[in-house]
């Protein structure tokens, strides 16, 4: 058995913070497994959160400067984590933070310069996992399905509830996946109106009622009519969703309650559409899996045909960081880590760029 000792870094569209996950990725012939050894979540300061949120409006030179400074910051945090926990790290596998995602224009960009990260941490770094797929005509997203296939293949569906909801499944012997639509991005946007980072456990949402007008507008978003492969980014949220939320004059509780019903309706719709068995399983991770009200509503909308499976908290929070560690290991092995059946690219690819510290 071959073991890769990797530090996975993940920053998602929900802007919660940086996830660091030191794990052992094991390869035994063609079987892959993982073991989470140490984890840490670093919440973004208000300033950092604002900078990341507003980065889509930066001029090119300002964005590149931020790309470098954010990479240096990632390196400092990684170095501190490695030192504090006395870790033996072969390399860092970093997703970075997506500032721009416009696959229809052949464009995606994740800040967090690999060279700055490598120099600051004194570790090898693999990052920039999306660009090659975009160059091959793909969406550059979602990327996590390779982990769903290799680590969690026993489940019929894998659902990630991060800033965006995306789903992954086997169809006719191939793994397919796509962004369903909204998740924590809209919920956190609403709670920030009352200076709350997020609605813990969905307690506020549970006390609200549905605003039918808002629900109809969210359900009517054109994105939901598009065929897959498809993906969305923060720009779509700002242009299409924020105006609906801002124009709705209602309580935060009702806005959250309505948003959760919308999220769950769209997820349930996709599960039912792709379900070919009488009984199926839906494996749920990402921050949204900690929202008890959301999980409850989702199970209600799926009825008894599909069992919602929520794993332990550590895996809920760090699954994406684990999968990016896997993607790094696959890149080192020159194995496929981005699937054309998921992204719509011309071919499968082994993506990611290696940076050495200097």
């Amino acid at each position: 058995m071959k073991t890769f000792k990797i530090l996975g870094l993940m920053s998602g569209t929900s802007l919660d913070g940086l996830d660091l996950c030191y794990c052992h990725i094991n390869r035994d012939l063609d079987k892959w497994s993982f073991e989470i050894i140490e984890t840490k979540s670093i919440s973004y300061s208000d300033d950092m959160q604002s900078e990341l949120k507003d980065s889509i409006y930066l001029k090119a030179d300002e964005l590149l400067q931020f790309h470098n400074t954010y990479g240096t910051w990632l390196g400092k945090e990684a170095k501190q984590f490695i030192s504090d926990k006395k870790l033996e790290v072969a390399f860092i596998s970093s997703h970075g933070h997506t500032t721009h995602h416009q696959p229809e224009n052949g464009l995606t960009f994740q800040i967090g310069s690999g060279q700055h990260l490598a120099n600051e941490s004194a570790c090898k770094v693999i990052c920039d996992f999306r660009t090659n797929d975009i160059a091959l005509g793909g969406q550059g997203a979602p990327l996590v399905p390779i982990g769903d296939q290799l680590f969690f293949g026993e489940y019929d569906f894998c659902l990630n509830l991060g800033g965006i909801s995306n789903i992954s499944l086997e169809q006719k012997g191939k793994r397919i996946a796509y962004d369903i639509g909204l998740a924590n991005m809209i919920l956190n946007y609403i709670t920030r109106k009352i200076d709350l980072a997020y609605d813990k456990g969905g307690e506020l949402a549970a006390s609200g009622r549905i605003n039918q007008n808002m629900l109809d507008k969210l359900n009517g978003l054109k994105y939901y009519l598009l065929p897959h492969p498809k993906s969305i980014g923060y720009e779509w949220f700002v242009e299409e969703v924020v105006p609906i939320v801002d124009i709705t004059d209602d309580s935060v509780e009702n806005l959250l309650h309505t948003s959760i019903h919308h999220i769950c309706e769209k997820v349930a719709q996709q599960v039912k559409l792709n379900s070919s068995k009488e009984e199926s399983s839906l494996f749920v991770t990402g921050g949204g899996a900690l929202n008890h009200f959301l999980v409850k509503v989702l199970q209600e909308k799926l009825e008894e045909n599909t069992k919602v499976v929520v794993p332990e908290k550590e895996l809920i929070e760090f699954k994406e960081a684990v999968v990016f560690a896997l993607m790094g290991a696959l890149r080192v092995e020159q194995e496929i880590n981005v699937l054309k059946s998921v992204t719509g690219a011309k071919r499968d690819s082994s993506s990611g760029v290696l940076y050495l510290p200097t």
Side-chain angles (χ1 to χ4, degrees), residues 22 130 200 287:
Y22 175 66
R130 299 185 188 274
K200 189 175 180 182

Side-chain angles (χ1 to χ4, degrees), residues 92-313:
I92 294 169
S93 191
S94 175
H95 170 265
H97 185 89
T98 301
T99 59
H100 296 70
H101 186 67
Q102 301 169 23
E104 68 281 5
N105 297 324
L107 168 68
T108 191
F109 191 62
Q110 288 69 47
I111 61 165
S113 163
Q115 192 63 65
H116 287 72
L117 201 172
N119 290 355
E120 192 63 38
S121 65
C123 290
K124 291 179 185 176
V125 170
I126 298 176
C127 62
D128 192 11
F129 290 99
R130 299 185 188 274
T131 302
N132 187 39
D133 186 76
I134 290 276
L136 291 169
Q139 291 280 313
L143 297 183
V144 171
I146 189 68
D148 295 337
Q149 185 179 67
L150 298 177
F151 288 158
F152 309 107
E154 71 266 33
Y155 299 102
D156 297 299
F157 301 93
C158 289
L159 175 70
N160 182 65
L161 295 171
I164 291 162
S165 62
N166 48 56
I167 197 164
S168 158
L169 60 134
E170 289 286 322
Q171 190 179 82
K172 296 176 183 175
K174 291 183 179 179
R175 176 67 49 171
I176 67 159
Y178 49 94
D179 289 344
I180 294 175
L182 294 167
N184 295 329
M185 207 185 275
I186 187 170
L187 302 178
N188 295 351
Y189 178 79
I190 292 165
T191 57
R192 286 187 194 117
K193 290 176 178 289
I194 53 170
D195 295 322
L196 196 65
Y198 63 98
D199 178 16
K200 189 175 180 182
E203 290 174 11
L204 288 175
S207 67
R209 292 183 177 184
I210 288 177
N211 180 305
Q212 194 60 49
N213 187 41
M214 177 182 171
L215 183 61
D216 290 344
K217 285 180 179 174
L218 290 173
N219 285 343
L221 288 166
K222 291 177 183 176
Y223 174 78
Y224 294 117
L225 300 174
L226 298 176
H228 64 79
K230 60 179 181 176
S231 60
I232 44 177
Y234 187 68
E235 301 101 313
W236 173 80
F237 174 71
V238 170
E239 290 166 13
E240 301 289 337
V241 181
V242 167
I244 294 173
V245 176
D246 287 351
I247 206 171
T248 306
D249 185 16
D250 209 335
S251 68
V252 164
E253 289 82 357
N254 289 354
L255 295 177
L256 290 168
H257 189 91
T258 303
S259 298
I260 281 180
H261 274 269
H262 165 71
I263 292 164
C264 294
E265 274 182 34
K266 290 302 174 185
V267 170
Q269 210 173 62
Q270 293 306 307
V271 170
K272 289 174 181 177
L273 190 67
N274 290 289
S275 193
S276 57
K277 293 157 65 175
E278 281 189 25
E279 291 185 358
S280 58
S281 55
L282 176 69
F283 184 65
V284 187
T285 53
L290 298 171
N291 187 315
H292 307 307
F293 180 64
L294 192 158
V295 172
K296 176 175 170 283
V297 173
L298 180 58
Q299 184 64 79
E300 286 170 359
K301 291 191 184 295
L302 287 168
E303 299 163 347
E304 294 177 5
N305 301 36
T306 303
K307 185 183 179 186
V308 174
V309 180
V310 178
E312 69 275 12
K313 190 168 185 280

